[in-house]
Amino acid sequence: MNPRGNTLKLTAVSALVVLTLTGFSTGRGGSGGSGDGSGGGCSSSDQNHDSSSSSGGGSHRDYDDDDDHDTSGGGSGNASASVQDATVELVTCASEASPHATVEVTNPNATDGVFTVTVIFEDTAGAEVATRTQDVDVPANDTATVRVDVGDDTDVTLVAECDPGLYAPAAR
């Protein structure tokens, strides 16, 4: 018998037993499972080294930036607080031939949004003739053109100026 071969076999078996008893795993990120693909390390079935998981369900959050999402399904109610207002630019003012103002609405957000555009129609003295609002759906990081009507109840011949607000807030 070869004593060196037996020593190697005994060492290999001992190493395997030690690794098995300590719960060493490869390619897994702990018993909680963060889902981030990290692997290796020591863990056992009764330990949870993953600080982003919680017992009883809860939510999963990564700690890299603010673009994360909450998978708990409850929602936090502050999603609209992070939406930036769209910018508004007047293209044409209302006239007798075209009884509406045309404005361009630019969405600076990475998601589609509905924004409320307000246009104040003024006479030659700068007095308000009518104020109209209109919701417009604008794709993410894009611009949409919308017509805001003066309205049938307003004499369009009185309109000399159109004053859209500089910003259009997200529609509620």
Side-chain angles (χ1 to χ4, degrees):
M1 217 194 252
N2 183 356
R4 182 178 169 133
N6 286 340
T7 305
L8 282 175
K9 286 180 185 177
L10 182 60
T11 303
V13 169
S14 298
L16 184 58
V17 168
V18 169
L19 292 176
T20 302
L21 291 175
T22 61
F24 185 85
S25 64
T26 59
R28 287 181 28 206
S31 64
S34 67
D36 63 0
S38 64
C42 294
S43 65
S44 69
S45 62
D46 63 341
Q47 292 176 329
N48 183 359
H49 297 291
D50 184 11
S51 63
S52 66
S53 296
S54 61
S55 61
S59 64
H60 168 76
R61 303 265 312 162
D62 289 329
Y63 297 100
D64 56 352
D65 57 44
D66 291 337
D67 294 337
D68 298 327
H69 61 281
D70 184 352
T71 59
S72 65
S76 60
N78 64 355
S80 63
S82 63
V83 175
Q84 294 180 9
D85 291 348
T87 57
V88 180
E89 185 177 330
L90 179 67
V91 177
T92 59
C93 190
S95 66
E96 227 175 315
S98 298
H100 56 265
T102 304
V103 295
E104 286 185 344
V105 183
T106 302
N107 179 357
N109 300 291
T111 58
D112 295 354
V114 177
F115 300 92
T116 303
V117 176
T118 301
V119 177
I120 301 171
F121 297 96
E122 301 171 343
D123 64 14
T124 56
E128 181 181 315
V129 175
T131 299
R132 302 289 184 243
T133 60
Q134 183 160 336
D135 288 346
V136 59
D137 190 6
V138 186
N141 298 312
D142 204 358
T143 300
T145 303
V146 64
R147 292 179 174 180
V148 181
D149 291 329
V150 173
D152 294 335
D153 60 338
T154 303
D155 185 359
V156 73
T157 60
L158 297 175
V159 176
E161 297 287 328
C162 297
D163 183 20
L166 295 176
Y167 298 99
R172 304 267 187 252

